[in-house]
Amino acid sequence: MNITITQQAKDKLNEIPDDKMIQLSFDRGSCDIVNTLYEIKVINKRETETYEKVITTEKLDFIVDDDFEDTYDNELTIDYANNFFVFKNKNQTFNNRIGLRYV
């Protein structure tokens, strides 16, 4: 899986404390890929569940569902603009504006 993080997104994500990690949450009821990713949770570091895995990019740990690669065709760019994260892959820019949610 290739996750690219723009400098703007990296700057924002690097504000997350070292004892936390990022969980990308999916709406499994959605049939439209545009609406699949609905929040970024900042959680305490933990072990993964059986349906999850960790992807490390730019020294950031992301917990994702094990079908994450298929959902995003093995390519995801995370950008940050106008106080929201924006997600893109080679096929489209997803029409979602997502903030960080600390849990």
Side-chain angles (χ1 to χ4, degrees):
M1 176 71 188
N2 181 26
I3 296 179
T4 303
I5 304 173
T6 66
Q7 188 60 50
Q8 298 90 327
K10 194 182 316 180
D11 291 346
K12 186 64 177 174
L13 292 171
N14 281 327
E15 294 175 7
I16 296 170
D18 290 339
D19 63 336
K20 305 285 185 186
M21 61 191 318
I22 303 155
Q23 180 175 1
L24 300 179
S25 299
F26 291 89
D27 176 3
R28 292 200 169 275
S30 175
C31 60
D32 184 355
I33 192 169
V34 172
N35 298 319
T36 303
L37 191 61
Y38 70 94
E39 70 181 348
I40 301 175
K41 289 183 191 175
V42 179
I43 61 171
N44 290 328
K45 287 195 174 182
R46 64 169 175 81
E47 294 296 315
T48 58
E49 299 292 332
T50 56
Y51 58 88
E52 297 174 322
K53 65 182 170 187
V54 174
I55 296 175
T56 302
T57 302
E58 301 283 344
K59 300 180 183 177
L60 296 165
D61 292 328
F62 294 89
I63 287 185
V64 297
D65 293 344
D66 56 11
D67 60 354
F68 186 80
E69 288 93 342
D70 293 336
T71 302
Y72 287 99
D73 294 327
N74 290 306
E75 181 182 315
L76 181 67
T77 298
I78 302 174
D79 194 7
Y80 187 77
N82 300 319
N83 296 315
F84 292 100
F85 289 94
V86 178
F87 297 86
K88 308 169 189 176
N89 74 3
K90 60 187 168 205
N91 297 321
Q92 63 184 320
T93 297
F94 301 101
N95 188 21
N96 48 16
R97 300 178 336 155
I98 298 172
L100 292 177
R101 184 175 143 227
Y102 284 79
V103 229

